[in-house]
């Protein structure tokens, strides 16, 4: 009788190794050793290395989409929902440290050749909803009308993504511990990134006294 936890162990092991070594340099044998299973059992759950890799990518992307989309679909002002999205993005990346590293390898080494389906899913969900949110903010007068919502959406999510992708450099720049920025710093940066994006999105005010965009505390 197989252990129901085995597929998760295999996915966890594969995620660590794919993030560390990349797709091409990670072998099924190494994944099996890392997961504590033999290759035959691994193939029982996943037909080949590519299928396993795509499952690893899908699991991570599904978590990101679920968390960010739920925040975007919640009620509240456009500004508040931007903040909620950025916070959710930071929470997911902080809880899944292999995710940024794995995606950088995938984009640089495979030109997103394995992740196309997952990226299209992201485009159809979180990205589309964020574009809609920007348009809603433009329609209400909260956001600048001349900004392309697609470009704005990319800019909003890029700040936090880069913070985690460039973690070794950020650690040096912020004089953090060897483990990287603390959870408090991550939270503070996510709030900064949201306010930075909102300042760029804010519609010009007719009144000099109220030109400064409302800052999320």
């Amino acid at each position: 009788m197989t252990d129901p936890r085995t597929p998760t162990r295999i996915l966890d092991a594969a995620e660590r190794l794919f993030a560390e070594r990349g797709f091409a340099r990670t072998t099924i044998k190494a994944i099996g050793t890392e997961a504590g299973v033999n290759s035959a059992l691994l193939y029982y759950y996943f037909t080949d290395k590519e299928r396993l890799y795509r499952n690893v990518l899908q699991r991570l992307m599904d978590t990101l989409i679920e968390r960010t989309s739920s925040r975007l679909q919640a009620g509240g002002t456009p500004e508040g929902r931007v903040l909620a999205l950025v916070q959710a993005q930071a929470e997911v990346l902080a809880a899944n440290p292999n995710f940024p590293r794995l995606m950088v390898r995938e984009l640089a080494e495979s030109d997103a050749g394995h992740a196309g389906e997952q990226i299209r899913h992201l485009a159809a969900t979180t990205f589309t909803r964020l574009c809609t949110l920007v348009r809603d903010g433009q329609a209400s007068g909260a956001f600048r009308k001349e900004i392309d919502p697609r470009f704005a959406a990319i800019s909003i999510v890029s700040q936090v993504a880069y913070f985690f992708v460039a973690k070794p450099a950020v650690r040096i720049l912020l004089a953090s511990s060897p483990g990287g920025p603390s959870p408090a710093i991550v939270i503070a940066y996510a709030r900064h990134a949201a306010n930075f994006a909102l300042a760029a999105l804010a519609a010009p005010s007719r009144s000099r006294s109220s030109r400064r965009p409302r800052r999320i505390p």
Side-chain angles (χ1 to χ4, degrees), residues 62-125:
D62 284 350
T63 299
L64 178 65
I65 290 170
E66 180 183 358
R67 294 285 294 279
T68 54
S69 288
S70 65
R71 302 289 178 90
L72 285 171
Q73 295 180 95
T77 64
E79 294 93 339
R81 287 157 68 194
V82 167
L83 173 63
L85 163 74
V86 174
Q87 288 179 327
Q89 182 190 13
E91 290 166 3
V92 170
L93 296 181
N96 298 274
N98 292 319
F99 194 3
R101 191 175 183 184
L102 194 154
M103 286 305 300
V104 167
R105 284 191 175 279
E106 168 63 14
L107 297 175
E109 298 173 4
S110 302
D111 199 26
H114 305 97
E117 181 180 349
Q118 288 75 26
I119 294 173
R120 284 189 288 273
H121 186 201
L122 178 68
T125 52

